[in-house]
């Protein structure tokens, strides 16, 4: 099948798409190992589902920004290649499910035609850059973070420093001190500030969720705006160099920070300064400035809407706010489960074209935000949205639960997220109708401990799990409490309190809400109430619900299911394969040398240098693997190679690559000692080329003396 590529597709994207098509062909013919292909496709936004033979496609929307026409394009492609559903995520992406692998290159090509990418939406790369959806219209913001979010995204897209890290890397930008983009749970979290009349950001490092969530540490209370991108580049380079690579569960930035401490991390970041592509990076805000047509309209500022339609009144109170541009209003859409049908998406795009600015934002709680709506148009907008089921009051309130897809599609999920979310929202609607006006308590749900639903930063969180009762297993929910923001605006990580049968989720939430109503002080935030009462208080409160002696037959059946529950591991995409790991690694090094030479030809000195650096790392890893020496961090690979392959009788290996121990380390790490000039790039690439040839010659000699290597089995690993 030939890929149709329009003139709107950039040369870089064109090559990526054709490369994906070629790799799919090689994978299907057995010429590329499953694990290598998995790593490749993930960085192209193609993610294996729980169901065999189909993929989830993650569409990368920087800062969640999307135009009406782009929304229509995604809807059309969902109809053409997927299921007609658009799933909004907590990272402001849109996902399509049940896509055939063979269709993914053409789907990508048709997205790129509309200015949308899949590149680095998954995998061990810089993931989508998220930000406050209200940016640019937020009455509390010191300035609009939109251009900064876009330039961070653009700077690291296809950047050599973050193409093959130990794990994923996440960045967020918040408009104000409310930290609505949850910077405190990101690898790098930025909060907009002005100091002495200058723009800048509070910088937080090393936050993260998963099985062991960490709050980020403050690196700077204020860092000038033009130093932000160079600083992040330094952080990523250090993470790439020293981050864990073997123990996947320890391979996040938060563990590196925890191991070496903030002071040492900042020292290592400073060491990278000479090698940075840019020492300062000024952001051009002009393309993102508000058009003159959206100037203040003070004659209609402070508009109120009161009608006999109670739903309309509630919608206006909870889903609508006046922007910082006086007389203009924004409308927030509450979307159950983050799922929107393609027909609904197309109709929404028409509403935007008629009534709003062509700048839709996907929100971090899986909704949508429409901007620059005239107050006199709000009743008509409500009617149009209500006809689509998009005018439910209570956006980002207690009644608006954030959730991941769970076992509906995800390989890693343990129990149903969608089912319990529907049940909880239904219970709150029936028994606690006023919660649509409560925006202090946030409820978040994930299908497993990994935290795509961000349960660890919820005031009340749940994640999917399982429980054993004798010979039987039942679906369960781990209850977490006390996360999110307290009354001081501090971001907190929730405590694990107790595990309960999944079918008792509504009973647990009912108990928690009634307890809060009865015992909280007036105006007390939920996380402050949790801290005041203490973990044991809530454990005792929920303990009767966790009692397995009172189980009934329905407790063994998960939400949205009729069959008895069993714990399932996601199905891999194909059988295991046998490969020569050293040869595969050397091929990878050769590819990186090609990228270095290409960057050199295009006068991209910093990029060329980093590709060449990776040639040294990958080649050294191959040589160490040939001697059955385990490898881990890049820094460790260099040190071990330096010691193992130095010339001299003390080493006794007969395969010296350098005269004395320390020589190889000095050569490789010279990358961060000099400015990225043409002369340095040419020399460094030539040295990398010579080194790779030497490693390949050594490997050929080893095979000649010892015989062909024993092929090793690789099986499908889980995506994440």
């Amino acid at each position: 099948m030939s890929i149709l590529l329009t003139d709107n597709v950039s040369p870089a994207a064109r090559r990526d798409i054709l490369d994906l098509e070629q790799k799919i062909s090689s994978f299907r013919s057995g010429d590329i190992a499953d694990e290598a292909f998995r790593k490749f496709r993930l960085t192209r936004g193609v993610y294996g589902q729980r169901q065999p033979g189909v993929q989830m496609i993650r569409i990368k929307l920087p800062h969640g920004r999307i135009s009406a026409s782009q929304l229509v394009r995604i809807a059309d492609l969902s109809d053409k290649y997927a299921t007609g559903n658009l799933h909004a995520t907590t990272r402001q992406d849109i996902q399509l499910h049940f896509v055939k692998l063979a269709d993914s290159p053409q789907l990508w090509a048709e997205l790129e035609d509309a200015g949308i990418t899949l590149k680095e939406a998954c995998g061990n790369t810089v993931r989508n850059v998220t930000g406050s959806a209200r940016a640019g219209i937020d009455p509390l913001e010191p300035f609009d973070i939109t251009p900064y979010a876009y330039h961070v995204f653009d700077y690291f897209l296809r950047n050599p420093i973050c193409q093959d890290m130990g794990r994923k890397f996440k960045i967020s930008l918040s408009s104000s001190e409310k930290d609505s983009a949850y910077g405190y749970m990101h690898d790098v979290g930025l909060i907009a500030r002005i100091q002495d009349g200058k723009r800048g950001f509070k910088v937080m490092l090393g936050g993260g969720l998963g099985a062991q969530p960490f709050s980020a540490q403050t690196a700077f209370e204020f860092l000038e705006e033009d130093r932000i991108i160079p600083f992040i580049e330094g952080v990523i380079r250090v993470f790439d160099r020293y981050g864990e690579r073997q123990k996947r569960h320890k391979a996040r930035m938060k563990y590196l920070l925890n191991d070496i401490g903030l002071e040492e991390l900042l020292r290592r970041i400073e060491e990278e300064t000479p090698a940075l592509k840019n020492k300062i990076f000024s952001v051009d805000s002009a393309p993102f400035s508000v058009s003159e047509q959206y100037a203040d309209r003070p004659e209609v500022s402070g508009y109120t809407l009161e009608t006999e339609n109670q739903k309309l009144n509630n919608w206006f109170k909870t889903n609508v706010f006046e922007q910082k541009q006086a007389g203009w209003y924004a409308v927030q859409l509450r979307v159950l489960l983050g799922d929107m049908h393609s027909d609904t998406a197309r109709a929404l795009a028409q509403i935007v074209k008629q009534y709003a600015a062509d700048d839709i934002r996907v929100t971090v709680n899986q909704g949508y935000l429409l901007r620059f709506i005239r107050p006199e148009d709000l009743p008509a907008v409500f009617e149009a949205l209500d006809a689509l089921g998009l005018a439910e009051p209570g956006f980002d309130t207690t009644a608006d639960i954030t959730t991941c897809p769970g076992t509906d599609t995800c390989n890693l999920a343990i129990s149903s997220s969608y089912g319990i979310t529907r049940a909880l929202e239904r219970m709150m609607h029936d028994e606690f109708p006023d919660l649509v006006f409560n925006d202090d308590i946030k409820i978040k749900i994930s299908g497993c401990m990994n935290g795509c639903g961000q349960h660890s930063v919820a005031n009340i969180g749940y994640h999917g799990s399982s429980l054993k009762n004798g010979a039987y297993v039942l679906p369960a929910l781990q209850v977490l409490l006390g996360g999110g923001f307290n009354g001081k605006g501090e971001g907190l990580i929730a405590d694990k309190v107790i595990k309960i049968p999944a079918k008792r989720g509504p009973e647990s939430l009912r108990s928690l809400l009634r307890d809060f109503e009865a015992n909280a002080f007036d105006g007390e935030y939920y996380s402050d109430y949790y801290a005041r009462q203490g973990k044991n208080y809530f454990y005792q409160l929920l303990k009767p619900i966790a009692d397995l002696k009172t189980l009934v037959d329905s407790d063994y059946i998960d939400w949205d299911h009729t069959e008895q529950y069993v714990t399932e591991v996601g199905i891999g995409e194909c059988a295991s394969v046998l490969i020569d790991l050293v040869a595969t690694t050397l091929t990878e090094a050769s590819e990186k040398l090609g990228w270095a030479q290409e960057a050199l030809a295009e006068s991209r000195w910093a990029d060329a240098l980093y590709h060449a650096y990776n040639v040294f790392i990958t080649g050294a890893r191959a040589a160490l693997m040939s001697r059955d020496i385990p490898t881990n961090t890049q820094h460790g690979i260099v040190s071990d190679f330096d010691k193992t392959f130095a010339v001299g009788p003390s080493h006794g290996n007969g395969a010296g690559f350098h005269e004395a121990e320390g020589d190889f380390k000095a050569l490789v790490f010279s990358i961060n000692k000099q400015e990225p000039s043409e002369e340095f790039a040419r020399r460094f690439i030539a040295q990398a080329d010579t080194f790779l040839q030497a490693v390949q010659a050594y490997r050929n000699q080893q095979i000649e003396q010892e015989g062909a290597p024993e092929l090793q089995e690789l099986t499908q690993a889980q995506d994440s």
Side-chain angles (χ1 to χ4, degrees):
M1 166 181 175
S2 60
I3 304 299
L4 300 177
L5 295 160
T6 69
D7 292 341
N8 292 332
V9 181
S10 70
R14 181 181 299 263
R15 185 167 66 175
D16 281 338
I17 293 164
L18 294 175
D19 198 16
L20 176 60
E21 182 188 35
Q22 186 273 322
K23 286 289 197 298
I24 290 172
S25 177
S26 296
F27 172 66
R28 292 200 153 157
S29 62
D31 295 333
I32 180 172
D34 181 48
E35 179 64 15
F37 177 65
R38 171 184 167 274
K39 186 169 73 170
F40 174 86
R41 63 170 168 75
L42 281 173
T43 57
R44 276 78 181 166
V46 182
Y47 186 109
Q49 280 188 202
R50 190 180 192 88
Q51 298 80 6
V54 290
Q55 317 293 315
M56 176 269 283
I57 301 297
R58 181 175 292 151
I59 300 169
K60 193 174 185 180
L61 304 174
H63 193 190
R65 295 182 71 232
I66 188 172
S67 68
S69 61
Q70 287 176 327
L71 183 62
V72 170
R73 176 62 60 89
I74 294 172
D76 291 346
L77 293 178
S78 183
D79 286 341
K80 186 175 181 179
Y81 296 112
T83 61
N85 183 61
L86 286 68
H87 176 72
T89 78
T90 55
R91 298 207 56 76
Q92 297 175 287
D93 296 310
I94 290 177
Q95 294 177 173
L96 307 182
H97 292 90
F98 296 93
V99 175
K100 295 177 182 178
L101 181 62
D103 287 339
S104 56
Q106 185 60 51
L107 189 159
W108 188 1
E110 292 176 50
L111 285 171
E112 287 283 355
D113 177 67
I116 310 167
T117 193
L118 304 182
K119 183 71 171 177
E120 295 151 43
C122 309
N124 299 334
T125 58
V126 173
R127 298 289 185 86
N128 194 28
V129 176
T130 59
S132 301
R134 294 187 177 193
I137 61 173
D138 186 352
L140 301 177
E141 69 183 19
F143 57 87
D144 184 4
I145 58 130
T146 300
Y148 300 90
Y150 176 78
H151 281 286
V152 171
F153 153 81
D154 187 60
Y155 190 88
F156 294 107
L157 186 70
R158 298 185 175 89
N159 194 313
I161 70 168
C162 51
Q163 296 305 299
D164 190 21
M165 297 186 291
R167 283 290 261 119
K168 56 192 173 185
F169 196 92
K170 298 180 178 180
I171 303 170
S172 78
L173 295 88
S174 287
S175 287
S176 72
E177 298 300 323
K178 290 186 70 174
D179 193 15
S180 57
Y182 292 93
Y184 78 95
M185 55 161 241
H186 281 77
D187 296 290
V188 176
L190 306 173
I191 298 178
R193 287 183 172 175
I194 288 182
Q195 182 173 299
D196 300 327
K198 296 181 179 178
R199 290 183 176 186
F201 294 85
K202 175 182 178 179
V203 180
M204 296 174 286
L205 297 177
L209 300 181
Q212 286 187 281
F214 285 55
S215 286
Q217 299 181 36
T218 300
F220 299 100
E221 289 293 342
F222 182 83
L223 188 65
E224 293 86 349
E225 58 175 336
D226 58 6
R227 293 181 58 198
I228 289 297
I229 285 177
F231 177 76
I232 297 174
E233 179 179 350
V235 173
I236 293 173
R237 292 171 75 104
V238 170
F239 176 56
D240 195 35
R241 193 99 66 245
Y242 297 97
E244 170 72 39
R245 287 175 180 267
Q246 291 300 107
K247 300 174 183 175
R248 189 168 176 80
H249 64 287
K250 292 284 187 182
R252 292 296 302 274
M253 177 73 188
K254 60 187 178 182
Y255 293 109
L256 176 61
L257 174 57
N258 191 56
D259 287 345
I260 67 176
L262 181 60
E263 184 177 348
E264 174 62 15
L265 178 65
L266 293 175
R267 187 193 69 77
R268 293 184 187 183
I269 293 168
E270 183 63 27
E271 278 188 345
E272 297 292 327
T273 299
L276 299 182
K277 187 185 301 187
N278 297 282
K279 306 303 185 287
I280 60 171
F281 188 95
S282 298
V283 166
D284 181 9
S285 299
F288 303 90
S289 61
V290 177
S291 168
E292 291 182 4
Q293 65 177 307
Y294 298 125
D296 291 351
R297 305 175 73 234
E299 71 279 4
V300 289
S301 181
Y303 176 83
T304 58
L305 180 64
E306 291 290 341
T307 74
E308 294 181 359
N309 184 334
Q310 193 56 48
K311 183 177 181 181
L312 173 57
N313 292 336
N314 292 345
W315 174 81
F316 186 77
K317 291 175 184 176
T318 63
N319 293 33
V320 179
F321 67 93
E322 185 174 8
Q323 301 177 180
K324 72 177 185 181
Q325 296 84 7
W328 292 98
Y329 287 75
V331 168
Q332 301 165 116
L333 311 185
R334 179 181 167 189
V335 180
L336 178 64
L337 310 175
D339 285 345
M340 183 181 293
H341 191 273
S342 56
D343 290 340
T344 304
R346 281 185 285 266
L348 174 60
Q350 292 307 309
I351 294 171
V352 170
K353 290 177 179 179
Q354 184 173 357
Y355 295 110
D358 193 17
D359 186 358
I360 307 165
R361 304 288 171 99
V362 180
T363 66
V364 295
N365 68 318
Q366 302 174 287
Y368 292 78
L369 185 146
L370 314 183
R371 302 143 59 86
F372 291 100
I373 297 174
R374 294 175 173 81
E376 58 268 30
D377 289 335
L378 286 171
V381 170
F382 169 80
E383 293 295 337
L385 291 174
D386 197 34
L388 298 175
L390 295 176
E392 288 302 310
F395 174 87
D396 201 27
T397 63
T398 309
D400 186 10
I401 297 175
T402 301
T403 184
C404 72
T407 50
D408 277 38
T409 56
C410 181
N411 259 323
L412 302 177
I414 301 172
S415 64
S416 172
S417 301
Y418 275 8
I420 183 60
T421 298
R422 292 188 187 97
L424 294 182
E425 291 204 2
R426 191 162 51 242
M427 185 275 291
M428 287 190 287
H429 178 272
D430 294 341
E431 302 179 30
F432 300 89
D434 287 345
L435 287 179
V436 295
F437 303 109
N438 185 320
D439 59 4
D440 292 334
I441 302 175
K442 301 291 193 293
I443 302 173
K444 299 178 184 290
I445 298 174
S446 301
C448 70
M449 67 180 70
N450 285 298
C452 292
Q454 302 179 343
H455 58 267
S456 294
V457 292
N459 307 109
I460 300 174
Y462 296 93
H463 80 66
S465 189
S466 62
L467 279 168
K468 285 201 72 174
N469 185 37
Y472 298 95
V473 180
L474 61 149
L477 293 170
Q478 174 68 58
V479 182
L480 302 96
L481 300 173
F485 296 97
N486 61 17
K488 298 178 183 178
E490 298 167 328
L492 305 172
I493 299 295
D495 289 335
K496 291 183 178 180
V497 174
I498 197 169
K499 192 184 288 188
I500 62 172
K503 280 294 181 70
R504 300 181 183 182
E507 185 181 350
S508 73
L509 182 58
R510 182 184 298 113
S511 180
L512 291 168
L513 293 174
R514 285 178 177 170
D515 172 76
F516 184 66
E517 284 182 347
N519 300 311
F521 298 147
D522 286 346
E524 188 172 22
Y525 280 70
Y526 192 87
S527 292
D528 290 331
Y529 174 64
Y530 172 79
R532 177 165 65 84
Q533 295 285 32
K535 178 178 177 178
N536 188 59
Y537 172 87
F538 291 93
Y539 175 81
Q540 297 299 330
L541 177 69
L542 298 176
K543 188 176 180 182
I545 299 172
D547 186 1
L548 300 185
K549 297 186 185 70
T550 60
L551 290 173
V552 296
D553 289 347
S554 61
D555 286 320
Y556 293 94
I557 300 172
D558 203 0
W559 292 101
D560 280 355
H561 289 260
T562 56
E563 74 284 358
Q564 184 168 319
Y565 174 82
V566 291
T567 305
E568 292 182 333
V569 177
I571 300 171
E573 293 164 331
C574 69
S576 59
V577 293
L578 296 175
I579 63 168
D580 178 352
L581 289 175
V582 177
T584 300
T585 305
L586 287 171
T587 298
E588 186 180 332
S590 295
E591 288 179 350
K592 292 174 179 178
L593 179 62
W595 298 338
Q597 292 165 338
E598 181 178 296
L600 183 68
E602 295 173 358
S603 302
R604 294 185 286 117
W605 317 131
D607 291 353
L609 283 163
Y610 211 85
H611 284 310
Y613 162 79
N614 274 316
V615 173
F616 282 114
I617 297 296
T618 309
R621 179 157 58 92
L624 291 168
M625 289 166 61
S626 75
R627 300 284 298 272
D628 294 325
I629 297 173
T631 62
N632 191 0
T633 67
Q634 291 183 346
H635 193 272
I637 288 170
V638 171
S639 296
D640 288 345
F641 184 90
D642 202 28
K643 182 193 304 183
T644 305
F645 289 100
V647 173
S650 62
H651 296 278
N653 56 65
F657 286 81
H658 43 278
E659 289 297 324
E661 188 173 334
D663 288 353
F664 183 69
K665 184 181 291 186
L667 169 61
V668 175
F669 292 143
S670 66
I671 188 177
N672 65 353
K673 302 294 191 297
Q674 302 180 50
E675 296 289 327
S677 64
E678 177 181 3
E679 186 275 331
F680 179 31
R682 290 190 181 280
R683 183 175 74 250
F684 199 62
I685 290 173
Q687 291 167 324
D689 189 357
T690 300
F691 169 74
L692 183 56
Q693 291 182 43
V695 174
Q696 289 171 325
Y698 164 71
R699 180 57 172 167
N700 292 338
Q701 182 182 28
Q702 186 184 40
I703 291 174
E704 188 176 313
Q705 294 174 350
E706 301 175 11
E710 182 178 341
L711 299 183
Q712 299 189 40
E713 184 177 71
L714 276 186
T715 55
Q716 172 70 14
Q718 298 290 351
D719 292 331
S720 61

